[in-house]
């Protein structure tokens, strides 16, 4: 059978027409898809601006399904899931982004950062730490170091926290000398609890060198020296504290009394406390002065305490000091004295607390790191009534 060229002439126009129709259909479909994706995107944006997060998520999911290659929609969706507390869905979104081979380096680093935040918000600290370490050498490195520092502090991994703080200081991301001194103090307390006083003392001395203007290292060192039967060394440490950080002297006042009693150096210590008291009256310093005068004789100590408390009340009103003064005062109706004293003590009790300057958390004892907001050195050395 011979081939008829006329079929070729007839087939070429037909093929051309069919190709043209197919191209038109593809263009129409592509146009419809491109038209539907922006509509879903803008609809989701409108819902988001109106704080309708459920509807916004549905619209963004529709947009992502229409164009799964759109990275920005994935990022928006992941952030929305995380804000709503749907951490598993946020993790899946960011993991999907990281699994794509066509993702740019910038978007890959951004997705890794988002994944780390997902794990952190979900409380999966081990996974968050691993994800944050993958951000080394990226524009998110400084943020990752800050979050890693928080993670190590929460887990009381002071050695790792020290390593991160040293790297941040070396990278000129801030001055972390005071925080590093706190980490050394925490390690020293742990060593002291295990009975290794020598290592604890070495760590505290290193902390003093690391941050000379930080009060905690010297106070903890003096407490350890007193515990080890070295009152003279403790007294020298506390005197150095008074010179370097005079505002922290109220926190060290009980230790100064103990060291003065153990060494017999009451006059110089009393003079030191009184000089500080004249500059800045303080309840703790006042109690220390009264305690140093107490052993001189019952009547003399009684009158001396009354004089000091009256002097304080003459300078500023204080319910706490009024209660202390009343406890040593002889009343006409002595049978009412205990009742009045209990009432005053109860009313003054909240005023003897320490208050965090960052979050307002109050506690009866002084904390170097706030239990509420985890801030360091946020508790003033003065009590609530003195602020």
């Amino acid at each position: 059978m011979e081939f008829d060229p006329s079929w070729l002439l007839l087939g070429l126009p037909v093929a051309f027409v069919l190709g043209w129709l197919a191209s038109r259909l593809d263009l129409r479909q592509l146009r419809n898809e491109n038209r539907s994706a922006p509509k879903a995107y803008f609809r989701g944006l409108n819902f988001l601006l109106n704080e309708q997060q459920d509807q916004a998520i549905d619209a963004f999911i529709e947009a992502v399904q229409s164009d799964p290659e759109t990275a920005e929609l994935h990022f928006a969706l992941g952030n929305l899931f995380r804000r709503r507390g749907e951490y598993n869905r946020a993790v899946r979104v960011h993991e999907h982004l990281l699994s794509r081979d066509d993702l740019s380096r910038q978007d890959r680093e951004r997705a890794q950062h988002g994944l780390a935040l997902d794990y952190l918000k979900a409380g999966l600290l081990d996974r968050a730490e691993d994800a944050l370490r993958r951000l080394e050498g990226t524009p998110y490195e400084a943020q990752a170091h800050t979050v890693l520092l928080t993670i190590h502090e929460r887990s009381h991994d002071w050695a790792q926290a020290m390593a991160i703080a040293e790297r941040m200081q070396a990278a000129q991301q801030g001055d972390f000398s005071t925080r590093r001194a706190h980490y050394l103090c925490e390690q020293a307390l742990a060593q002291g609890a295990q009975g290794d006083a020598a290592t604890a003392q070495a760590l505290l001395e290193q902390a003093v060198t690391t941050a000379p203007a930080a009060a905690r290292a010297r106070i903890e060192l003096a407490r350890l020296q007193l515990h080890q039967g070295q009152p003279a060394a403790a007294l020298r440490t506390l005197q150095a504290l008074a010179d370097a950080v005079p505002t922290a002297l109220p926190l060290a006042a009980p230790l100064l009394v103990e060291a003065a009693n153990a060494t017999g150096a009451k006059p110089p210590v009393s003079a030191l406390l009184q000089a500080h008291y004249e500059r800045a009256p303080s309840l703790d310093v006042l109690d220390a002065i009264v305690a140093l005068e107490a052993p001189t004789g019952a009547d003399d100590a009684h009158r001396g305490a009354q004089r000091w408390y009256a002097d304080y009340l003459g300078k500023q009103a204080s319910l706490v000091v009024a209660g202390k003064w009343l406890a040593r005062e002889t009343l006409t109706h002595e049978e009412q004295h205990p009742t009045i004293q209990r009432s005053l003590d109860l009313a003054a009790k909240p005023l003897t607390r320490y208050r965090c300057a960052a979050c307002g958390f109050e506690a009866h004892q002084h904390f170097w790191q706030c239990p509420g907001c985890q801030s360091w050195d946020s508790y003033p050395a003065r009590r609530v009534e003195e602020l």
Side-chain angles (χ1 to χ4, degrees), residues 232-275:
L235 184 57
R236 289 194 295 271
T237 300
L238 294 172
Q239 287 171 334
L241 170 71
D243 293 334
V245 198
T247 55
L249 196 62
L251 299 176
L255 295 176
L256 269 170
V257 173
E258 186 177 349
N261 288 331
T263 58
K266 294 179 184 178
V269 171
S270 182
L272 173 65
L273 290 170
Q274 290 182 37

Side-chain angles (χ1 to χ4, degrees), residues 55-57 80 111 119 128 132 146 152 165 174 179 181 197 210 237 248 252-253 275 290 305 307 316 377 381:
Q55 294 88 334
I57 286 176
L80 277 174
Y119 286 138
L132 289 166
T146 302
H152 293 317
R179 188 170 290 196
T210 300
T237 300
V290 171
R307 178 174 56 82
Q316 59 188 72
D377 292 320

Side-chain angles (χ1 to χ4, degrees), residues 85-280:
E86 300 180 39
Y87 304 120
N88 290 334
R89 301 179 75 180
V91 166
R92 287 200 297 272
V93 168
H94 290 119
E95 285 181 339
H96 172 69
L97 282 170
L98 290 171
S99 67
R100 286 173 45 178
D101 296 331
D102 62 334
L103 200 66
S104 67
R105 179 179 177 181
Q106 181 179 1
D107 284 342
R108 187 171 298 278
E109 292 167 351
R110 184 179 172 188
Q112 184 67 43
H113 180 250
L115 182 62
L117 293 181
D118 296 339
Y119 286 138
L120 184 66
K121 292 293 185 180
L124 303 173
L125 299 185
D126 291 341
R127 294 187 180 183
E129 182 178 349
D130 180 66
L132 289 166
R133 292 192 181 280
R134 296 175 185 268
L135 294 171
E136 296 286 345
T138 71
Y140 299 96
E141 183 179 36
Q143 299 178 40
H145 282 165
T146 302
V147 178
L148 278 171
L149 203 61
T150 302
I151 291 175
H152 293 317
E153 288 182 359
R154 288 181 183 177
S155 59
H156 292 184
D157 191 346
W158 305 115
Q160 288 291 337
M162 172 68 79
I164 293 294
E166 288 175 345
R167 292 182 62 181
M168 294 179 73
Q169 185 148 353
Q172 297 182 348
Q173 296 176 12
D175 184 7
F176 292 86
S177 57
T178 301
R179 188 170 290 196
R180 286 161 53 208
H182 280 298
Y183 299 156
L184 289 167
C185 290
E186 293 290 347
Q187 294 179 70
L189 292 178
Q191 293 296 326
Q194 296 174 9
D196 191 352
T199 301
Q201 183 164 340
L203 288 168
L204 290 172
E205 290 172 351
Q206 182 183 349
V208 172
T209 304
T210 300
R216 183 187 183 183
R218 286 190 170 92
I219 291 176
E220 297 294 353
L221 179 58
R223 184 176 286 112
L224 178 63
Q225 289 168 335
L226 285 170
H227 182 72
Q228 292 297 111
Q230 306 170 16
L235 184 57
R236 289 194 295 271
T237 300
L238 294 172
Q239 287 171 334
L241 170 71
D243 293 334
V245 198
T247 55
L249 196 62
L251 299 176
L255 295 176
L256 269 170
V257 173
E258 186 177 349
N261 288 331
T263 58
K266 294 179 184 178
V269 171
S270 182
L272 173 65
L273 290 170
Q274 290 182 37
H276 183 277
Y277 176 82
E278 290 299 325
R279 293 193 300 271

Side-chain angles (χ1 to χ4, degrees), residues 258-324:
E258 186 177 349
N261 288 331
T263 58
K266 294 179 184 178
V269 171
S270 182
L272 173 65
L273 290 170
Q274 290 182 37
H276 183 277
Y277 176 82
E278 290 299 325
R279 293 193 300 271
S282 162
L283 294 176
D284 293 291
V285 173
L286 179 61
D287 286 340
I289 294 171
V290 171
L292 284 175
E293 291 188 356
T296 59
D299 294 337
D300 292 340
H302 188 82
R303 287 192 295 271
Q306 289 294 79
R307 178 174 56 82
W308 280 107
Y309 290 141
D311 177 76
Y312 189 97
L313 292 172
K315 293 180 178 179
Q316 59 188 72
S318 170
L319 190 60
V320 176
V321 176
K324 294 177 182 292

